Amino acid sequence: MNGSADLQLTIGSRRTVALGVVEFELHPVDSGHLPEWQPGAHIDVVTAAGIVRQYSLCGDPGDRTSYRIAVLRQAESRGGSAWLHEWLHEGDRVLVGGPRNHFPLEPGPRYVFVAGGIGITPLLPMIRSVSRDGADWSLHYGGRTRASMAYVDELRAVDASRVHLLPSDAGGPIDLESTLGDVPPETYVYCCGPEPLIRAAEAVCARRGTRLRTERFSPKEIDSPRGNSPFTVLIASTGLELTVPVEQSIVDVLTEAGVDVLTSCEEGTCGTCETAVLEGRPDHRDSVLTEEERAAGDRILPCVSRSLTPQLVLDL
């Protein structure tokens, strides 16, 4: 991780909330107030080995005394979820960055939420928020089994009539054609979960012109309009001009030149390294920005994206 994670928090409690899913409640070491956040936000958690992973905040944004995250133990963990499950206990301290929000809840009268597995975590505070505001909403929540699906009781406590549980061992995958088939045009669809679920939601919503917001666990496949070609980046604050060769990312080149850019996943999914673009046209290859944000061309995820113009001027 380049840059810094500047919050040291204490594990106040941990509990199992579903099969393979542990919830951690984190508190400030000094009992002070935590930074504010809104539904959809995540924090970066730094492991003892320096591995950084992003976890959605699933508690109450109005509670400035604690953060809640829920972590699925991945079968092929690269050291993130396994470390949290095996080594973090009550009273332990952990280094955290953020919070950051690249999955914000847009104001609107009607919502359809679609969750797959641990993808329920960013949607939980959204559902509480829209319910308090009196918006119309429904949740379609899939998982491998009912036992693997976290926070079912909390969701039902908000409004059980709007919560549709769809464990795949009982009824197969979520039928998105039916679920999203008749949503009115002013509806926002929020989807988080495994890549096949998100790709299917994108296909259905694209055909129907439905407004879709997604958050991914892993990078999507990107078809670039051109291959990797060299270009230059100009640092607006200093005038430093750097060449980005074919085999390196913008972040690699900036780091080598001593330009500090906060990064985490380095695969275009977390949004940590988002940087403003003052001139030039980015070649977007991330899994974070919406189509509207891509078209605006005023920001870039330099860990994976490149340039469609000979030079990019970055607000660094």
Side-chain angles (χ1 to χ4, degrees):
M1 179 178 183
N2 297 320
S4 63
D6 53 8
L7 289 175
Q8 190 174 63
L9 305 182
T10 300
I11 307 300
S13 66
R14 59 171 284 168
R15 66 184 179 113
T16 299
V17 292
L19 184 64
V21 181
V22 172
E23 178 195 89
F24 296 89
E25 188 174 271
L26 298 87
H27 298 272
V29 172
D30 59 3
S31 300
H33 282 11
L34 291 167
E36 295 181 357
W37 63 280
Q38 297 298 322
H42 69 264
I43 56 173
D44 305 317
V45 177
V46 185
T47 72
I51 297 170
V52 182
R53 292 292 180 266
Q54 290 71 45
Y55 297 103
S56 297
L57 293 170
C58 56
D60 178 5
D63 179 8
R64 299 283 303 281
T65 67
S66 69
Y67 288 155
R68 284 170 55 193
I69 60 173
V71 181
L72 170 67
R73 172 65 186 264
Q74 300 286 350
E76 298 181 0
S77 173
R78 294 177 292 169
S81 66
W83 180 78
L84 271 77
H85 274 243
E86 295 172 10
W87 297 104
L88 274 192
H89 300 280
E90 292 182 13
D92 290 340
R93 295 186 177 187
V94 64
L95 197 61
V96 168
R100 300 180 184 86
N101 198 342
H102 295 277
F103 192 40
L105 180 64
E106 303 284 350
R110 186 172 288 105
Y111 301 85
V112 175
F113 298 100
V114 180
I118 199 64
I120 192 62
T121 51
L123 303 184
L124 180 56
M126 293 186 183
I127 288 168
R128 293 196 195 100
S129 176
V130 301
S131 181
R132 283 194 302 267
D133 291 343
D136 185 17
W137 65 273
S138 64
L139 168 67
H140 303 265
Y141 181 12
R144 296 186 307 277
T145 66
R146 169 62 182 80
S148 70
M149 299 166 66
Y151 298 121
V152 169
D153 290 341
E154 291 192 30
L155 291 160
R156 283 176 166 163
V158 178
D159 189 338
S161 68
R162 299 175 184 268
V163 176
H164 307 281
L165 302 180
L166 303 162
S168 58
D169 66 338
I174 301 173
D175 183 353
L176 291 177
E177 290 286 354
S178 174
T179 299
L180 304 177
D182 297 320
V183 297
E186 71 273 15
T187 303
Y188 278 105
V189 176
Y190 277 79
C191 180
C192 184
E195 185 63 18
L197 175 68
I198 292 180
R199 285 202 305 267
E202 287 176 332
V204 173
C205 289
R207 288 198 303 272
R208 301 180 182 278
T210 306
R211 294 181 291 187
L212 173 67
R213 300 291 183 267
T214 64
E215 185 167 64
R216 283 178 152 84
F217 302 148
S218 57
K220 64 181 179 181
E221 294 182 6
I222 303 293
D223 292 325
S224 172
R226 75 188 225 194
N228 285 5
S229 301
F231 58 96
T232 63
V233 291
L234 180 67
I235 310 305
S237 63
T238 64
L240 177 65
E241 186 172 352
L242 303 167
T243 298
V244 182
V246 170
E247 68 278 4
Q248 286 187 290
S249 70
I250 299 174
V251 160
D252 290 337
V253 171
L254 293 175
T255 301
E256 288 181 0
V259 180
D260 188 31
V261 180
L262 186 64
T263 66
S264 180
C265 72
E266 298 193 15
E267 59 183 15
T269 58
C270 73
T272 301
C273 65
E274 182 178 315
T275 302
V277 176
L278 302 179
E279 294 181 30
R281 184 182 170 201
D283 178 4
H284 296 293
R285 304 186 185 188
D286 64 273
S287 304
V288 175
L289 300 179
T290 65
E291 290 305 315
E292 293 85 356
E293 290 168 337
R294 290 167 182 259
D298 59 357
R299 66 190 78 181
I300 190 172
L301 276 295
C303 65
V304 291
S305 296
R306 298 184 67 83
S307 180
L308 296 173
T309 50
Q311 184 178 81
L312 291 176
V313 179
L314 302 181
D315 189 13
L316 290 171

